[in-house]
Structure formats: structure tokens, C-alpha cells
Amino acid sequence: MKVDKDTLEEILVTITRNKTRSLLTAFGVFWGIFMLMALSGGGRGVQESLQHQFEGFATNSAFVVANKTNEAYKGFRKGRWWQLEVSDVDLVAGIDGVEMATPTTAQWGKTAAYEGNKYECSVRGLFPNYERLEHQEMAYGRYINDVDISERRKVCVIGKRVYEALFKEGGDPCGRYIQVDGVYYRVIGMCANEGNVSIQGESSEAVTLPYTTMQQVYNLGNRVQLVCFTMKPGVRVKDMQPEVERRIKEAHYISPTDKQAVLTLNMEAMFSMMDNLMTGVRFLTWMVGLGTLLAGAIGVSNIMMVTVKERTTEIGIRRAIGARPRDILQQILSESIVLTTVAGMAGISFAVFVLNMVETAANPPGVVETHYQVGFGLAVGACLLVIALGVLAGLAPAYRAMAVKPIEAIRDE
């Protein structure tokens, strides 16, 4: 296809001959590509936001919670309350396919104090291997270790919000002592986790103690509130869940058919559900965007058909003075491609502008945590798609123009 100054000038004159019609026609393509780009970029931002919330959390994990029984069994009445114990952790950890098991316990409504500053927090008792379940990003110091557990040390790891409330002057809090329930604990670290997926309260609002220390200070005995475990690679939680429940029921004299006494929260299933949801959102995005874009391309094709009919005499004269069918075909296709391409580029540019505004509003000043943008490859692909739609939209009008016979066009005039 030959493209020179005269050809471009002729295309521009033809398109601007009826400005209102051309603008309305181009708007269909503009809106279609805008919807596709905006929904794609917005979906990416939402997905990144969700990933930030779940960041650092083991996706192949599950938690066991004790609940009252629903069946009488071996002399125990229906509706009996029972407690998980430390020994249950070993039962779960001994199952083939389980990578790690750890207990957790927590108490809420506690007040942490330091030099007149106070903050209402939760207190959690954990083992060091809990870090493999929920990654602890340490801004200062270290996390609880095995020596803290074995020696029942009165040390703690504080969350970000606890740190900000107690140590308003900032700086490293390690080595200082805070008071919780009349007991002083030496701070050994500050956890910067901000994710919304946390067990027994948010890490940012918690004071974490060695499990054995909390067991002793609060006189918990062997009771635990949750038994958390993760699976080995390739092993699914739902495949091991029946065996986990069977072992715990057997140890606590619970009926094997009792569906209520042992509750298992399968985080793997929840993460999988979230992945399926995002896949559905992406599919819906492309369906809506491509459908709108296709409607715009059909509009271009219809208007080009009208344009060809209006220019029947012009086309007949061109044919009469020697224009080949190929020249007519190239002229109509060029007009269609230019119209859709300009509208498409405007739609992509506007979508990028809108997404940039959304990204600025959704992130803290000076920090970009969530990207509401489209990738370069997607933008290039969208450009090629617009050009291809321009060609397809111009084919039917172009072939109709090629079919115009010079003598009939002049007679029609």
C-alpha cells in the first residue's frame, strides 16, 4: 500500500468531510479500547492489592480449632466442650505429608505500656517455626528462637502499631522493657508485617511472646487454641484433612462421625478460590472489552458502507480515468484503518491517563505499592488488534466500492 502526502491528505479530507459522523463512529472504537485497557489495568491493580494482603502467608496451610461436640461418645455427653493440647501438635506433625505443625494461643484486650505511653494490644504465644507459616518481616532485631522457648525468657516481639504508639520518638526498640499485665518483657524485635491475613489478630497490633513464657505467665497448662500446619510440596490439605481430624478425635474421645467437634480452616482452598475469582475477573474483563471494541468496529464498517454509497459517482469517475480495483480497495481500507487507529490510540492514551490517576490516589504519597497500569506487551497487542479491526471493518465497504461499474456510477449521477 503506497502511503504519501497526497494519500494522507485525501484520507483526512474524506474523514473530516462529515466531522460529526466521523467522531461518533470513532467514539465506538475509542470507548471499546478504553474499556479493555482500563479494566485490564484495574484488574491488575486489584490483584496486586490482594497479593499484598496475603504476602508472606503460606498458601498450603490449615488450622484446627476445637468446638463443642455434636454427638455423645464413650460416656461423654453431647455438647461437651473440649480443648486442643500441645500433644495434638505432635499427632498432626507425625502425619505423612505434613511439613510442619505448630500451636498458637492468644489473649486480647491487654495493655502494653512504656514510659507513660500505652497501647491496647493482643498477646500471642508462638514457637519459632510459626515464621514458616506467616513470614515475619523484621524491621529491628530478631524473631523468637529456640533458646527463648527452652529458657522461658521474658522477651517479646512487638508489632508495627505497638511500636509507633509506645516508641513515638522512633529508633531501635531492642533492649528496652515494656510492661504487659504487670510483667516486664525485653523487646528483641519489631515486626513490620501489615498484611490482613493474620492468625488470632493482626501482627501489627500484637505483642508476641515465646510460647512457653506465655504458657507459664498466664497459667495455660497444656491447652492451645489453634494447631496450625503446612503441607509438603505436592500434597494438598484436603487430602490430609480427614487423617488430621481422625487422629485428634481419637485422642480426645470424640465420635468419628461428629462433623462439628473438630473444625478445620483450609487456607489452601481459600487461596485457590481467590485465584479462581481473579481468573474470572480477567476473563470478564476481556469479554466486556473485546465485545465493546467489536461493536465499535461494526459501527465503523457500517459508516464506511454509507460513505461508499455517497461516493459512488466519485468512485465511478476514478475507475473511468484508469483507477484499478486495487487502488479503490487500498483507498477505502486506508480510511478505515486510519479512523480506527486514531480512535484506538486515543482510547489507549486516555486509559493510561485514568489508570495513572487511580494509581496515584490508591498509593501512599511517593510510594507505588500497587500498579494500576497495563503492560507494554498488552498495549502493543491492543494497537495491532485495533489495526486488524480497521482492516476487517473496511473489507466489506472496500469490496462494495470495487464492484461499482463506471458507467452505472455516472448514470446514477
Side-chain angles (χ1 to χ4, degrees):
M1 182 184 296
K2 182 181 179 181
V3 179
D4 52 24
K5 181 180 178 181
D6 293 335
T7 302
L8 293 175
E9 184 176 353
E10 183 178 1
I11 293 172
L12 181 62
V13 170
T14 304
I15 292 177
T16 57
R17 185 177 299 167
N18 192 324
K19 297 182 177 64
T20 302
R21 185 171 66 187
S22 297
L23 286 174
L24 291 176
T25 303
F27 182 77
V29 177
F30 166 86
W31 188 251
I33 200 69
F34 168 75
M35 289 288 289
L36 179 61
M37 294 293 99
L39 290 174
S40 298
R44 176 186 176 185
V46 171
Q47 184 173 5
E48 282 191 11
S49 178
L50 290 174
Q51 288 174 346
H52 284 315
Q53 300 299 329
F54 301 147
E55 191 174 12
F57 203 90
T59 58
N60 62 339
S61 58
F63 314 98
V64 178
V65 186
N67 192 24
K68 68 178 181 179
T69 60
N70 195 41
E71 297 180 15
Y73 186 69
K74 289 189 176 182
F76 291 97
R77 64 180 176 83
K78 175 183 176 180
R80 170 174 62 98
W81 285 99
W82 61 284
Q83 293 284 341
L84 287 165
E85 298 179 355
V86 177
S87 58
D88 295 323
V89 178
D90 296 328
L91 291 177
V92 175
I95 298 175
D96 186 27
V98 173
E99 182 180 40
M100 179 277 298
T102 185
T104 70
T105 189
Q107 295 195 10
W108 292 266
K110 305 301 180 181
T111 301
Y114 175 77
E115 293 185 353
N117 298 322
K118 296 182 179 181
Y119 188 80
E120 187 172 334
C121 63
S122 62
V123 178
R124 301 193 300 176
L126 302 175
F127 277 89
N129 60 354
Y130 180 81
E131 204 271 343
R132 296 162 62 184
L133 177 75
E134 182 184 0
H135 176 65
Q136 306 298 304
E137 184 179 346
M138 305 304 297
Y140 294 104
R142 62 173 177 83
Y143 195 58
I144 294 167
N145 60 29
D146 293 329
V147 178
D148 298 328
I149 295 292
S150 62
E151 295 184 1
R152 301 177 185 268
R153 289 177 173 175
K154 290 184 179 179
V155 296
C156 69
V157 174
I158 59 176
K160 183 177 180 180
R161 295 183 186 176
V162 179
Y163 165 78
E164 291 172 349
L166 300 186
F167 301 94
K168 295 181 179 180
E169 73 283 1
D172 189 350
C174 296
R176 305 182 190 183
Y177 287 83
I178 66 172
Q179 185 183 18
V180 181
D181 283 350
V183 180
Y184 285 90
Y185 300 95
R186 182 167 58 88
V187 178
I188 59 173
M190 191 277 276
C191 178
N193 283 23
E194 283 284 4
N196 284 338
V197 181
S198 299
I199 306 304
Q200 297 183 313
E202 295 186 15
S203 297
S204 61
E205 298 182 346
V207 174
T208 302
L209 310 178
Y211 184 85
T212 50
T213 302
M214 185 167 182
Q215 191 178 39
Q216 183 180 54
V217 171
Y218 292 96
N219 195 26
L220 299 178
N222 290 323
R223 301 190 305 274
V224 300
Q225 293 174 342
L226 292 177
V227 174
C228 315
F229 61 94
T230 59
M231 309 307 299
K232 293 179 180 177
V235 181
R236 303 181 66 181
V237 172
K238 71 174 186 178
D239 296 332
M240 295 294 103
Q241 184 174 333
E243 177 62 16
V244 171
E245 295 181 357
R246 185 194 69 79
R247 291 196 179 195
I248 292 178
K249 288 178 180 179
E250 186 178 281
H252 293 274
Y253 302 103
I254 299 172
S255 173
T257 59
D258 194 331
K259 303 293 185 181
Q260 177 180 297
V262 180
L263 301 180
T264 304
L265 177 61
N266 187 346
M267 294 299 293
E268 184 180 66
M270 295 182 64
F271 281 111
S272 177
M273 187 184 306
M274 190 62 63
D275 288 340
N276 292 337
L277 175 63
M278 293 311 303
T279 300
V281 168
R282 287 193 294 270
F283 177 76
L284 182 62
T285 295
W286 279 95
M287 287 291 292
V288 172
L290 290 177
T292 308
L293 188 59
L294 182 60
I298 292 174
V300 172
S301 182
N302 289 336
I303 294 302
M304 293 299 296
M305 292 286 284
V306 174
T307 302
V308 168
K309 187 175 182 180
E310 292 176 347
R311 298 165 61 190
T312 300
T313 302
E314 175 192 331
I315 294 172
I317 294 174
R318 284 173 178 265
R319 294 290 304 276
I321 62 177
R324 296 169 296 178
R326 185 178 67 182
D327 298 328
I328 303 299
L329 175 66
Q330 290 179 355
Q331 177 65 26
I332 302 301
L333 284 179
S334 298
E335 295 173 7
S336 175
I337 292 173
V338 169
L339 186 62
T340 55
T341 302
V342 171
M345 296 302 102
I348 293 174
S349 300
F350 186 60
V352 171
F353 172 75
V354 171
L355 288 172
N356 187 61
M357 297 294 290
V358 173
E359 183 177 286
T360 302
N363 289 287
V367 180
V368 180
E369 296 177 349
T370 306
H371 299 83
Y372 287 85
Q373 290 295 345
V374 294
F376 179 75
L378 179 60
V380 173
C383 294
L384 296 177
L385 177 62
V386 168
I387 295 173
L389 286 175
V391 173
L392 293 176
L395 282 178
Y399 279 110
R400 179 173 178 174
M402 288 172 57
V404 174
K405 297 179 180 179
I407 189 63
E408 293 180 0
I410 296 173
R411 186 185 299 121
D412 183 64
E413 177 64 20

